[in-house]
Amino acid sequence: MLDRLHIADTGIPIYIQLREQLLQAIGAGVLLPGAQLPTMRQVAVALKIDLNTVQRAYAELERDGVLVTTRGRGTFVATPPPPLDPVRHDLEAQALAAKTIAAARAAGLDPALIARAILATLEQPT
């Protein structure tokens, strides 16, 4: 997993780059539910970044329910949560869509381009 992580000088904060790469690995099935992640120290050393930066990325993913940390054992990809009720499911989808649109605009990208990229990615075999 460590060999897949990299930091680019793009102006995007390092913890966000790390968080997004971990989310992408989970979404692509590289990291499956229950998989153990490298320790924060291992990531910091491999990427030559501050340990606090890695802690922030892991903490955000844990807060969002993507990761679970067990003291003395490590950090793991969370098992998928139980399905949401339909109303909450729609609200979560709308919130994620709004967040994605805002992120696209902040990066200077057309949100419609992002939507097309998402649909094209869905059509690709996994």
Side-chain angles (χ1 to χ4, degrees):
M1 177 66 218
L2 286 173
D3 60 329
R4 294 177 156 284
L5 301 175
H6 64 281
I7 301 301
D9 189 16
T10 60
I12 297 172
I14 294 171
Y15 79 94
I16 292 175
Q17 291 182 49
L18 180 57
R19 183 190 69 205
E20 296 303 314
Q21 288 177 51
L22 291 171
L23 281 172
Q24 184 177 12
I26 293 166
V30 174
L31 289 172
L32 299 172
Q36 185 170 10
L37 273 69
T39 67
M40 291 181 236
R41 188 168 309 284
Q42 288 172 324
V43 174
V45 169
L47 297 177
K48 297 180 174 86
I49 59 176
D50 189 76
L51 180 60
N52 290 327
T53 301
V54 181
Q55 287 173 332
R56 184 169 181 186
Y58 274 42
E60 284 196 8
L61 290 170
E62 188 171 7
R63 184 189 67 233
D64 292 341
V66 176
L67 301 179
V68 175
T69 301
T70 305
R71 190 171 186 92
R73 291 202 54 231
T75 303
F76 301 86
V77 177
T79 56
L84 299 172
D85 67 81
V87 173
R88 182 152 184 227
H89 188 269
D90 290 346
L91 291 173
E92 291 286 333
Q94 290 171 358
L96 182 57
K99 183 177 177 181
T100 303
I101 290 168
R105 288 183 176 147
L109 298 170
D110 178 9
L113 176 66
I114 301 302
R116 287 192 295 277
I118 290 171
L119 291 173
T121 303
L122 279 173
E123 294 173 0
Q124 294 176 354
T126 55

